[in-house]
Amino acid sequence: MAKNPFRQLDVIRDASRKKSMISDCYRLMYNKELWIKAYAKLYPNTGNLTKGTSDETIDRFSLQKIDDIVDQLKAGTFRFAPVRRDYIPKSNGKKRLLGVPNFKDKMVQEVMRMILENVYEPVFSDNSHGFREGRSCHTALSQIKNTWKGLTWCIKGDIKRFYDHMDHSVLINLISKKVNDRRFLLLIHNALTSGIMENWTYHQTYSGTPQGGFISPIFANIYLHEFDMFMEKQLKKFDNGKVRVRKGEYTKIRSKISTLSRKIKRLDERNGHQMWEGREELILSIQERKIKVGIPSIDPMDENHPRMKYVRYADDFVLGIAGSKQSASYMKEMIKIFLKEELQLDLSDEKTLITHLKKPVPFLGYEFRKWNEVKIKKVMCKNHKHPMKKRTLSGAIKLEIPEKKIKEFAIKNGYGNLDTFKIIHRAKLINNSELEILYTYNAELRGIANYYKLANNYHHLDKLFYLAESSFIKTIANKRKSTSKKAASSMRTHKQGVLCLVKKDKHGNEKLHQFVKLKDLPKHQGAIKAVSPEIDILVNTFKYSGRTNFEKRLLANKRKACGTTEGQMEVHHVRK
């Protein structure tokens, strides 16, 4: 084993890419450098000050605690404590189960996650986008927008309570195909079966992995990786034929236009390019036929040329099919059988819908549908030296912001009602400073604009921004105990048409703080591509090897107040 654990992670990644079995994962966890890196990643998260089933949190952390965990791992006595069950509300009114582990267990899970990530990241499917480095909701949506062309039907998949129904034995068997380390597999088993504490009553866990643990997302990706492989095999089987058959009606019209054009040219030469009787009727006949050429030149429903596309984000997946509805129904049944027989999961018949792509399909907060965008392309023909223009109906995908999401965002953040345009001032912010109020509005608006930057109807956010601006003015007016008109006028005197607050910095210079506008946040241009795993073979060496200032302070074992280096130091975390 390499002395540098991050070099060893590179070795694991390279071996996994070559489809080799991975061993020595458990012994790799003895290295202190991995734990320091794990702690450096966890410490900025304020959620680590939340208690699990014990009073232990990230507060009062020390290097001695790392040594204690490593000693327990070496002795084989480490055990995961039960997680505390909590509930968080969902948008549909229901509640999602959340598991809150103790901080020590979070540390162990993070080190395990770092190892499993290097084992599986090189072999995960390019169609998987959830909880992976370099991938996000935007890369999943970009893949749909850029590659789903000419499709007709879409299957929006929904797995019944996926995180609660993951079979432990299936997951351990899947991991054992890549990892040949009995102690590491036993540690994974202990993490899965640690149990749940609800209202101080212990419940044994026989299936599932609690959402809230650091290792749950990669467990989900490993579990559904088999589904990704199954879908990729179906994609290859489904894709048949090289080109779609041309429509007979289109071919006849094009042939007639060519015949009439040659006739006009021949008669023009015979009459010395002078006006002759019947020429106008022939030209009108050609123009009428050109209008009819607006129909597609090929049959989009050609049974001998089916196509299929697949994208997954966590447990949400969509399947696009260029074919008949019967083909989509057949694929839905195939998916249902595979999930039940191979992964012990159930596909929800009520929520797994087959939708024609002319209708909007909801996915990751967006809606997408097909639209016939007319494009003119230049193509090379056999008997022509120069490229010729060709009209194409792309059948491309359009991403849109659902109007419902914009209205819900306005109500949730207290801007007002977009339907009636009733403006509300935010009473909860009145005790904050004016600058804090401005930054609150700006952060919220930048967030929604950044998430919906791929949408074709991005400009629909204009109305939301105007409502938020009116709400901001009203909130500042209430704070100043003035009118909205006076508050707006005073903030617009510094820069024409823009709401600004003026504050002085430590040098006494005035600085403008502007209320953000949609035009200041330009829409994203082009595709957002996922980072290919083949771009950089030694990616982890550069990612992990350098120490941050925080890690250097931790290893210095020195009190910042008095400079003492004797004794064991602790790091205190303050809940802000």
Side-chain angles (χ1 to χ4, degrees):
M1 181 183 291
K3 290 184 179 181
N4 187 333
F6 307 113
R7 291 287 183 185
Q8 181 62 19
L9 290 178
D10 288 341
V11 172
I12 287 174
R13 180 178 285 249
D14 193 45
S16 180
R17 186 179 289 108
K18 295 176 181 177
K19 300 182 180 179
S20 301
M21 290 291 287
I22 309 300
S23 59
D24 284 337
C25 295
Y26 194 85
R27 279 203 304 145
L28 186 59
M29 296 180 69
Y30 298 165
N31 198 298
K32 201 171 182 178
E33 295 286 338
L34 284 181
W35 296 90
I36 293 170
K37 187 62 68 174
Y39 177 62
K41 183 174 180 181
L42 296 182
Y43 91 93
N45 189 349
T46 55
N48 291 315
L49 287 166
T50 303
K51 295 178 182 179
T53 52
S54 71
D55 291 334
E56 181 190 22
T57 66
I58 194 172
D59 192 33
R60 303 189 69 179
F61 183 82
S62 65
L63 293 174
Q64 182 60 45
K65 291 189 177 183
I66 293 178
D67 294 334
D68 293 342
I69 297 172
V70 172
D71 289 342
Q72 289 178 26
L73 289 171
K74 288 179 178 179
T77 58
F78 177 83
R79 295 294 181 270
F80 286 94
V83 299
R84 179 174 62 83
R85 173 168 283 180
D86 202 354
Y87 296 89
I88 53 175
K90 297 168 70 175
S91 57
N92 58 6
K94 296 181 181 180
K95 292 186 177 181
R96 178 180 284 111
L97 300 180
L98 185 70
V100 184
N102 294 336
F103 178 70
K104 181 173 71 173
D105 294 348
K106 289 180 182 179
M107 283 282 291
V108 180
Q109 287 186 17
E110 175 59 21
V111 175
M112 292 169 66
R113 186 203 63 79
M114 289 165 61
I115 295 171
L116 286 173
E117 182 183 58
N118 285 276
V119 172
Y120 279 96
E121 192 59 35
V123 298
F124 277 153
S125 169
D126 288 338
N127 297 314
S128 168
H129 295 266
F131 310 117
R132 293 179 62 190
E133 184 182 354
R135 293 170 183 267
S136 64
C137 296
H138 285 160
T139 58
L141 292 162
S142 290
Q143 183 175 339
I144 293 172
K145 187 174 184 178
N146 299 324
T147 63
W148 286 34
K149 294 185 178 180
L151 305 183
T152 49
W153 295 95
C154 178
I155 303 173
K156 170 72 168 62
D158 185 272
I159 300 172
K160 286 184 181 177
R161 297 183 66 185
F162 167 67
Y163 285 95
D164 298 332
H165 291 168
M166 284 171 56
D167 191 282
H168 292 168
S169 59
V170 171
L171 179 59
I172 295 294
N173 288 334
L174 291 175
I175 297 175
S176 64
K177 292 179 181 179
K178 290 289 292 180
V179 178
N180 183 21
D181 189 327
R182 189 186 65 82
R183 290 189 297 173
F184 191 72
L185 294 174
L186 183 61
L187 190 64
I188 292 173
H189 181 266
N190 290 339
L192 292 169
T193 58
S194 60
I196 292 171
M197 195 74 76
E198 185 175 8
N199 296 326
W200 299 109
T201 303
Y202 176 78
H203 302 279
Q204 180 66 43
T205 47
Y206 299 100
S207 65
T209 177
Q211 296 184 66
F214 285 84
I215 205 166
S216 296
I218 197 163
F219 278 165
N221 276 336
I222 293 170
Y223 204 90
L224 290 177
H225 177 62
E226 293 299 306
F227 178 57
D228 294 339
M229 295 298 99
F230 167 76
M231 289 306 306
E232 288 185 1
K233 288 179 183 177
Q234 299 305 313
L235 297 183
K236 291 178 181 177
K237 290 180 182 177
F238 204 81
D239 290 357
N240 293 319
K242 292 184 178 180
V243 292
R244 289 190 174 96
V245 67
R246 282 194 172 275
K247 280 192 171 183
E249 183 184 359
Y250 177 87
T251 306
K252 288 179 183 177
I253 294 171
R254 292 299 305 177
S255 178
K256 189 64 177 176
I257 289 173
S258 299
T259 303
L260 291 173
S261 298
R262 288 196 300 270
K263 183 176 180 180
I264 292 172
K265 185 178 180 180
R266 187 172 61 252
L267 291 173
D268 279 344
E269 291 175 354
R270 186 181 298 174
N271 290 282
H273 296 282
Q274 299 294 324
M275 191 63 185
W276 44 272
E277 187 179 351
R279 190 178 191 277
E280 291 183 359
E281 288 78 1
L282 288 175
I283 290 173
L284 286 173
S285 180
I286 289 174
Q287 290 174 348
E288 289 174 2
R289 285 176 169 81
K290 281 186 176 180
I291 293 171
K292 291 182 180 179
V293 175
I295 62 174
S297 61
I298 56 176
D299 184 5
M301 300 297 289
D302 184 6
E303 294 181 357
N304 297 318
H305 191 274
R307 287 290 181 271
M308 190 160 66
K309 300 290 183 182
Y310 162 74
V311 171
R312 179 177 69 83
Y313 185 91
D315 59 332
D316 294 327
F317 68 90
V318 284
L319 189 68
I321 294 174
S324 62
K325 189 175 182 180
Q326 288 74 19
S327 300
S329 300
Y330 171 75
M331 279 309 306
K332 180 182 174 181
E333 286 302 313
M334 289 281 288
I335 290 169
K336 184 177 180 180
I337 292 168
F338 176 83
L339 289 174
K340 186 64 179 175
E341 293 182 354
E342 299 296 328
L343 300 179
Q344 307 300 316
L345 296 172
D346 294 318
L347 191 71
S348 173
D349 287 322
E350 299 79 20
K351 295 182 180 179
T352 303
L353 304 176
I354 300 173
T355 310
H356 198 284
L357 278 171
K358 287 183 179 178
K359 298 178 180 178
V361 179
F363 186 59
L364 299 179
Y366 279 73
E367 286 180 347
F368 66 87
R369 61 185 175 86
K370 184 175 74 171
W371 65 313
N372 285 326
E373 181 187 17
V374 180
K375 289 185 176 181
I376 306 297
K377 292 184 177 180
K378 289 185 177 182
V379 294
M380 292 298 297
C381 298
K382 290 182 180 179
N383 300 325
H384 295 81
K385 293 182 180 179
H386 303 288
M388 298 183 66
K389 290 182 178 180
K390 181 182 178 182
R391 177 190 59 83
T392 61
L393 293 173
S394 65
I397 292 293
K398 177 188 283 189
L399 295 176
E400 296 179 328
I401 310 171
E403 290 295 325
K404 181 183 176 183
K405 293 287 183 183
I406 302 177
K407 292 174 183 177
E408 287 176 351
F409 185 86
I411 293 171
K412 177 186 173 183
N413 289 288
Y415 301 157
N417 192 314
L418 269 174
D419 289 326
T420 60
F421 218 81
K422 183 180 179 180
I423 304 160
I424 303 172
H425 78 275
R426 298 173 71 174
K428 290 182 180 179
L429 297 180
I430 285 186
N431 290 330
N432 295 357
S433 69
E434 292 186 358
L435 203 56
E436 287 172 339
I437 296 172
L438 176 71
Y439 284 166
T440 301
Y441 276 89
N442 283 355
E444 291 165 353
L445 294 173
R446 281 196 182 97
I448 190 171
N450 180 63
Y451 188 73
Y452 287 115
K453 63 186 176 182
L454 297 178
N456 291 76
N457 62 343
Y458 181 73
H459 60 281
H460 283 198
L461 291 174
D462 263 327
K463 193 175 180 181
L464 174 70
F465 271 64
Y466 183 68
L467 182 71
E469 186 178 284
S470 302
S471 173
F472 170 70
I473 293 170
K474 197 166 185 179
T475 303
I476 295 295
N478 271 266
K479 183 174 179 63
R480 296 178 180 178
K481 297 181 180 180
S482 177
T483 64
S484 296
K485 185 177 180 180
K486 289 180 180 178
S489 298
S490 67
M491 287 188 285
R492 288 196 173 108
T493 55
H494 312 290
K495 190 173 181 180
Q496 187 177 3
V498 181
L499 296 175
C500 295
L501 293 175
V502 179
K503 300 295 177 182
K504 292 184 178 180
D505 59 19
K506 60 183 179 181
H507 302 294
N509 300 321
E510 289 189 347
K511 185 179 179 182
L512 288 181
H513 300 271
Q514 299 182 17
F515 189 89
V516 70
K517 287 185 172 290
L518 189 63
K519 65 180 182 181
D520 299 329
L521 306 170
K523 184 174 177 286
H524 181 79
Q525 299 295 328
I528 297 177
K529 296 182 180 178
V531 177
S532 172
E534 298 178 359
I535 290 175
D536 193 347
I537 301 300
L538 297 177
V539 62
N540 277 13
T541 300
F542 302 104
K543 174 183 164 187
Y544 290 127
S545 58
R547 282 191 178 139
T548 63
N549 288 332
F550 173 79
E551 294 170 53
K552 291 175 182 177
R553 294 201 309 270
L554 178 66
L555 291 170
N557 202 45
K558 182 179 179 181
R559 288 188 64 185
K560 196 169 183 181
C562 63
T564 304
T565 57
E566 296 178 0
Q568 182 61 46
M569 304 301 169
E570 293 178 344
V571 181
H572 289 270
H573 294 254
V574 180
R575 186 186 292 276
K576 295 182 181 179

